Amino acid sequence: MRLLLRFMGFLFAAGTTLFLVGVAVAAGLIWHFSKGLPDYSQLQNYEPPVMTRVHAADGSLLAEYAKERRLYLPIQAVPKLVINAFLAAEDKNFYEHSGIDFQGVSRAVLKLVENAIRGSDKRPQGASTITQQVAKNFLLSDLVNKENKSRLDEYIRKIKEALLAMRIERAYSKDKILELYLNEIYLGLGAYGIAAASLVYFDKSVNELTVAEAAYLAALPKAPSTLHPVKNHDRAVERRDYVIDRLLENGWIKQADAEKARKDPLIVTTRANGAHTVAGEYFAEEVRRDLLERYGEKKLYEGGLSVRTTLDPKLQAIARKTMANGLVNYDEAQGWRGAMSRLDISGDWGVKLADVKSLSDIAPWRMAVVLESDDKSARIGFQPGRELGGAVSKERQTGLISLDGVKWAKAASGAARGRTPTKVSQVLSPGDVIYADPLIGKDGKIVEGEYRLRQLPQVSGAMVAMDPRTGRVLAMVGGFSFDQSQFNRATQAYRQPGSSFKPIVYSSALDNGYTPSTVIVDAPIEIDQGQGGVWRPENYSKEKYYGPQTLRNALRLSLNTVTVRLAQDIGMPLIGEYAKRFGVYDELPNYLSYALGAGETTVLRMVTAYSMFDNGGRRVKPTLIDRIQDRYGHTIYRHDTRECRGCDAPEGWKNQPEPQLIDHREQVLDSMTAYQITSMMEGVVQAGTATVMRDVGKPIAGKTGTTNDQKDAWFIGFSPDLVVGVYVGYDKPRNLGRTATGGHLAAPIARDFMKIALADKPATPFRIPAGIKLVRVDAKTGMRAGPGDTGKTILEAFKPGTAPPDNYSVIGVADSDGRQPQAPPDADRSLFQPGTGGLY
């Protein structure tokens, strides 16, 4: 008995010793592995890389910029279904354990022992909790990404994960840990976090996900690349259904929901690029460059900025269509240059054509290859699309191009140059790679199954539409196709504006003592340029001169010699100062040729300058961005800097004075001068070089521009609420053709745009500033028009003190509030047309 007691005492002592040794060893190991653990408190201030989102003025998504495509969602915004799906897939006991799931660890250990007995080298079964995954992804990424990891390294990492997980659980709530996890995990296809993944895979917010969709997303963290919805479709469905089963097993969904979810097909909905949808690629890229310059690369791609731009999607679509049509119409008039390339159509032509680079932003144009061709028609096969996994679609679509679809295709060179084709085979041959779009019949409807031949225009150009009061860019087209060329001709192409610069010259004169009725001689002139020889500027009509002309008529007819004489009189330094004020040029050389638009500037700069004419002479700063907010919703930039007095009433409305917007912007040009030059440019539209703009049917002012040798064609024009600028020219400047003037090439594009853009707007006349006197004068001479004058007379605008002598007939004076003046009772009312501003 005593021996048994001694033996039991020995066992107890040995057990106690072993226990203490074990505790000591465990404590030592914990101490050892805890020494180098990262500081988990950094999770409190964790700011994951979040993508920047750019929106149009109506709130529609325009672009996204990110290195990691992520949208951060607080846990309160995550639906219970999505949370349960991830818990079912990853850690069903998440809300019960303290960072380590000992049941899971036990299962993993037993599996490891089983594999060791069998001699299997299978990867150990995972037992990581969501908290451990947070520790791994946020704090132990260096160990995870370490190359040449051994099995020992993996065990060490697991121990560190467990230690960190327990510390994290003590420091943070379960919801905070889950929030970090759901926003950090990579879910494939470039999506980080559930919000981005929901958009990428299903084009939905997390609140719109079905059971099947939520289960699929929850299945992805384990191995997103091996669960690709197209490449590994069957495996992806299998894993999705596993998650559905776990949801049912845990009682988080009903049997009927589970059965329906298993039957749902796994279909991924690819999201269209926002900029592509509204043809705003050039605009979006300009915004990206602006953000990069303001905040740097890290803030742009990781800062989670929310950018509200000035883009009007409707106007942008109109601008893109009218600009493209204008370029195509001009290019087709030059003739057919031949197929883009040739393709061997033997075998599966679709696979071969799919490898040819095509432009994705010129819909409804589609790339095609000619399969057969005869005198009456050609059969074409369209480029097949690609599936999400990159495989070429097996569907093959064909169509016909009849003679009606190639009638425009006159030969651009060779013996047959200029001849209209009489056979389709004269234009197309089997193997020709071309573009085509649906043929429009004479009734304006699409001809089913028939297509029209298209060719990419060599000529290019740009268009900008702006709000003249704020400088907000409403639409921007930087070329025919962003896919073809990312060079933005609206902001980056410096071209000679030609005569469209003349309003700057004339406004400089009007602001310094001249009037629209000032007379200057239109006659040959020679300028001694010293070593540069003698310069003899000519009018566009070459040897045709008109003698004495008012400034109004000189601008209307775009007379170069009058402009040069005017520039001589007022001096180029003064013109250079005004050009700098308007932002057209940074510095203008003191050469008289620059008064005719020989300097180089951009469409955006010219449109900005004309906006100042339109808004009464106020400084305008062009902008593509209305407002920028940081990831927390704080506004860090706002374009509108006007002061709002009375907008911050602390206790609501108590019959105090109404809020007022105070505009502190600089007055660049006298408001009366601005109206005078506007009135003169209305004359350009009504009876000058831009008469095509009369088709708009609304009050329009503007000026054309054509450079030497017809290398560039310009038109800048405006209504009271919209300014539009267009230029057309080759990227490598060359002659556009004898008749390719601003009035014939650029103005029709602006007309087509403004006609649609202003279709539902009232015909509002230009506002006449207080003090302007409207005097009836002879349209040709600018002299007083007497009661018995039978010639053409106009209402001319004069500033106080510059009005004609008393023997002139003063028709009216603008009211102090800018309203149209009323004609005196004895005036000829047929001559008094409010808003015509002295037009014929």
Side-chain angles (χ1 to χ4, degrees):
M1 186 67 179
R2 185 179 297 175
L3 185 62
L4 180 60
L5 288 172
R6 284 182 179 180
F7 180 70
M8 293 294 293
F10 172 75
L11 288 178
F12 177 77
T16 302
T17 302
L18 288 175
F19 173 76
L20 292 175
V21 170
V23 169
V25 170
L29 288 173
I30 291 173
W31 175 83
H32 172 74
F33 288 117
S34 298
K35 282 194 301 182
L37 289 180
D39 180 12
Y40 61 87
S41 64
Q42 62 184 279
L43 295 177
Q44 188 65 42
N45 302 316
Y46 174 65
E47 290 187 346
V50 177
M51 64 181 168
T52 289
R53 308 189 90 200
V54 179
H55 300 267
D58 66 352
S60 58
L61 183 64
L62 184 62
E64 296 172 327
Y65 300 112
K67 291 182 178 177
E68 293 183 2
R69 195 171 186 180
R70 176 186 287 108
L71 291 173
Y72 198 90
L73 275 184
I75 193 65
Q76 294 82 1
V78 183
K80 194 67 176 175
L81 169 64
V82 175
I83 291 175
N84 288 340
F86 278 86
L87 295 183
E90 296 293 320
D91 188 359
K92 70 174 183 177
N93 298 321
F94 173 71
Y95 279 98
E96 298 170 8
H97 62 65
S98 57
I100 302 174
D101 185 358
F102 290 102
Q103 291 182 10
V105 171
S106 301
R107 287 195 302 271
V109 170
L110 290 174
K111 191 67 177 177
L112 180 64
V113 172
E114 182 182 335
N115 290 340
I117 294 172
R118 294 179 177 178
S120 172
D121 58 352
K122 285 185 179 180
R123 186 176 180 274
Q125 178 177 315
S128 293
T129 63
I130 283 177
T131 313
Q132 286 177 273
Q133 292 184 56
V134 168
K136 177 180 71 173
N137 294 335
F138 285 81
L139 305 172
L140 297 174
S141 55
D142 291 341
L143 285 176
V144 174
N145 298 326
K146 181 180 177 182
E147 294 184 4
N148 303 318
K149 291 183 292 185
S150 66
R151 185 65 61 84
L152 179 61
D153 289 329
E154 221 172 308
Y155 291 145
I156 291 173
R157 177 178 62 78
K158 286 289 185 183
I159 293 172
K160 290 189 173 186
E161 270 182 28
L163 293 173
L164 271 174
M166 288 188 289
R167 291 185 180 184
I168 290 171
E169 287 274 352
R170 289 196 297 269
Y172 303 106
S173 68
K174 286 287 188 178
D175 283 347
K176 178 64 176 177
I177 295 168
L178 188 58
E179 178 180 299
L180 291 171
Y181 172 76
L182 292 176
N183 283 286
E184 176 67 17
I185 48 173
Y186 178 64
L187 295 171
L189 298 186
Y192 290 79
I194 54 170
S198 180
L199 290 171
V200 169
Y201 284 98
F202 304 112
D203 195 18
K204 292 181 177 180
S205 72
V206 290
N207 295 297
E208 299 173 300
L209 294 175
T210 65
V211 172
E213 291 165 346
Y216 175 67
L217 294 183
L220 291 171
K222 290 291 185 188
S225 60
T226 61
L227 298 175
H228 192 282
V230 176
K231 295 179 181 178
N232 307 103
H233 183 269
D234 292 343
R235 187 172 180 182
V237 171
E238 180 184 349
R239 178 65 182 174
R240 180 202 68 178
D241 290 350
Y242 166 80
V243 177
I244 293 172
D245 290 341
R246 300 289 76 74
L247 281 167
L248 178 62
E249 181 182 297
N250 295 329
W252 290 334
I253 60 173
K254 297 178 181 178
Q255 181 69 42
D257 295 331
E259 291 176 1
K260 181 181 181 302
R262 291 191 202 97
K263 293 177 182 178
D264 284 350
L266 178 55
I267 300 175
V268 172
T269 305
T270 55
R271 300 180 64 216
N273 179 282
H276 184 86
T277 303
V278 298
E281 295 92 343
Y282 285 105
F283 188 100
E285 175 58 17
E286 197 67 23
V287 170
R288 188 197 68 81
R289 283 198 290 261
D290 188 345
L291 295 172
L292 184 64
E293 186 177 340
R294 286 173 189 265
Y295 303 113
E297 184 175 336
K298 183 175 179 64
K299 189 90 169 180
L300 170 61
Y301 292 104
E302 300 179 14
L305 300 175
S306 176
V307 183
R308 179 60 64 94
T309 70
T310 61
L311 185 77
D312 184 320
K314 292 181 180 178
L315 290 183
Q316 179 63 34
I318 298 168
R320 167 69 177 85
K321 183 177 181 179
T322 53
M323 189 73 206
N325 288 346
L327 297 178
V328 168
N329 291 340
Y330 168 82
D331 187 75
E332 289 186 352
Q334 313 310 305
W336 169 245
R337 294 185 298 274
M340 297 169 53
S341 61
R342 299 277 301 165
L343 189 73
D344 178 10
I345 57 175
S346 61
D348 189 349
W349 54 266
V351 174
K352 299 173 185 177
L353 187 60
D355 291 332
V356 179
K357 173 73 172 77
S358 63
L359 305 181
S360 64
D361 59 347
I362 57 174
W365 291 22
R366 295 174 61 189
M367 180 175 279
V369 62
V370 178
L371 303 176
E372 300 170 359
S373 176
D374 57 30
D375 293 350
K376 294 183 178 181
S377 65
R379 189 169 70 90
I380 59 174
F382 289 101
Q383 185 179 52
R386 290 185 179 273
E387 297 173 347
L388 190 62
V392 177
S393 172
K394 296 179 180 180
E395 183 182 356
R396 300 290 179 265
Q397 185 180 352
T398 61
L400 289 177
I401 295 181
S402 65
L403 188 59
D404 286 339
V406 299
K407 275 186 177 178
W408 67 267
K410 301 175 183 178
S413 59
R417 180 179 179 181
R419 294 180 188 173
T420 301
T422 56
K423 301 176 182 178
V424 175
S425 57
Q426 292 173 341
V427 179
L428 298 174
S429 301
D432 284 350
V433 177
I434 60 170
Y435 278 98
D437 70 341
L439 180 68
I440 307 298
K442 294 179 180 179
D443 58 357
K445 297 180 180 179
I446 293 176
V447 180
E448 190 67 31
E450 289 197 30
Y451 295 84
R452 187 182 190 275
L453 175 66
R454 292 294 191 179
Q455 93 178 339
L456 298 177
Q458 289 183 341
V459 72
S460 198
M463 178 191 290
V464 172
M466 181 179 288
D467 180 337
R469 293 183 180 84
T470 62
R472 298 173 69 247
V473 176
L474 306 175
M476 174 184 287
V477 181
F480 178 72
S481 164
F482 186 79
D483 264 5
Q484 185 183 39
S485 169
Q486 286 77 51
F487 181 67
N488 190 341
R489 295 155 190 84
T491 60
Q492 295 175 302
Y494 280 79
R495 312 289 288 231
Q496 293 181 339
S499 293
S500 64
F501 178 70
K502 287 177 181 174
I504 308 293
V505 178
Y506 283 67
S507 62
S508 305
L510 294 172
D511 224 26
N512 289 275
Y514 285 75
T515 74
S517 289
T518 299
V519 174
I520 296 180
V521 176
D522 176 37
I525 184 174
E526 293 184 351
I527 309 295
D528 185 359
Q529 301 183 112
Q531 294 182 351
V534 177
W535 177 47
R536 298 180 178 85
E538 297 178 323
N539 293 330
Y540 179 77
S541 55
K542 299 299 182 184
E543 298 180 359
K544 189 173 182 179
Y545 298 94
Y546 297 88
Q549 295 292 317
T550 63
L551 291 189
R552 172 182 287 278
N553 286 334
L555 185 65
R556 177 175 65 85
L557 299 172
S558 199
L559 302 178
N560 290 338
T561 61
V562 173
T563 305
V564 171
R565 283 189 168 91
L566 182 62
Q568 268 188 319
D569 192 22
I570 63 177
M572 285 303 297
L574 180 65
I575 295 172
E577 172 60 28
Y578 274 80
K580 191 173 182 179
R581 280 193 210 175
F582 282 99
V584 177
Y585 301 117
D586 296 327
E587 295 292 338
L588 186 68
N590 291 326
Y591 299 113
L592 287 170
S593 60
Y594 282 82
L596 301 180
E600 294 179 338
T601 188
T602 66
V603 178
L604 181 61
R605 286 186 172 218
M606 289 298 293
V607 169
T608 303
Y610 275 60
S611 291
M612 297 182 219
F613 293 143
D614 197 1
N615 70 18
R618 287 276 188 182
R619 163 95 43 211
V620 161
K621 182 181 179 182
T623 184
L624 282 70
I625 299 173
D626 273 336
R627 184 195 67 210
I628 303 173
Q629 293 176 306
D630 63 17
R631 66 167 71 210
Y632 303 108
H634 303 139
T635 298
I636 57 177
Y637 168 80
R638 188 187 298 276
H639 172 69
D640 191 347
T641 58
R642 291 176 296 176
E643 177 188 355
C644 184
R645 293 180 181 173
C647 289
D648 55 352
E651 298 180 4
W653 176 254
K654 291 187 177 180
N655 297 317
Q656 66 264 39
E658 292 182 7
Q660 289 184 321
L661 286 174
I662 310 300
D663 193 346
H664 296 291
R665 290 180 299 174
E666 176 190 0
Q667 191 75 34
V668 174
L669 188 69
D670 182 88
S671 61
M672 289 183 282
T673 301
Y675 177 73
Q676 286 179 313
I677 195 68
T678 297
S679 171
M680 291 165 67
M681 283 193 280
E682 281 190 278
V684 174
V685 170
Q686 291 298 317
T689 57
T691 53
V692 68
M693 295 300 298
R694 289 185 300 191
D695 295 344
V696 175
K698 307 288 169 63
I700 301 291
K703 185 68 185 77
T704 57
T706 308
T707 60
N708 286 342
D709 299 324
Q710 288 78 39
K711 291 180 179 177
D712 292 299
W714 289 71
F715 177 77
I716 317 290
F718 53 93
S719 71
D721 300 310
L722 181 66
V723 185
V724 178
V726 174
Y727 110 82
V728 176
Y730 291 100
D731 284 344
K732 292 183 178 179
R734 60 185 171 94
N735 190 283
L736 289 164
R738 188 162 47 91
T739 61
T741 63
H744 287 94
L745 193 54
I749 298 174
R751 172 203 61 197
D752 293 344
F753 172 79
M754 297 188 83
K755 198 170 184 178
I756 302 172
L758 300 176
D760 58 349
K761 307 292 183 184
T764 306
F766 290 99
R767 183 180 182 275
I768 303 176
I772 279 287
K773 293 185 177 182
L774 297 180
V775 178
R776 185 152 52 90
V777 299
D778 183 278
K780 185 175 182 180
T781 66
M783 300 293 288
R784 171 188 180 273
D789 285 350
T790 57
K792 289 184 178 179
T793 60
I794 60 172
L795 294 177
E796 192 58 89
F798 292 94
K799 300 177 186 176
T802 67
D806 292 342
N807 62 337
Y808 276 52
S809 175
V810 178
I811 297 298
V813 180
D815 295 339
S816 61
D817 63 358
R819 292 179 299 176
Q820 294 287 343
Q822 298 298 310
D826 59 344
D828 182 354
R829 293 181 178 271
S830 66
L831 301 174
F832 188 80
Q833 300 175 2
T836 57
L839 305 184
Y840 291 83

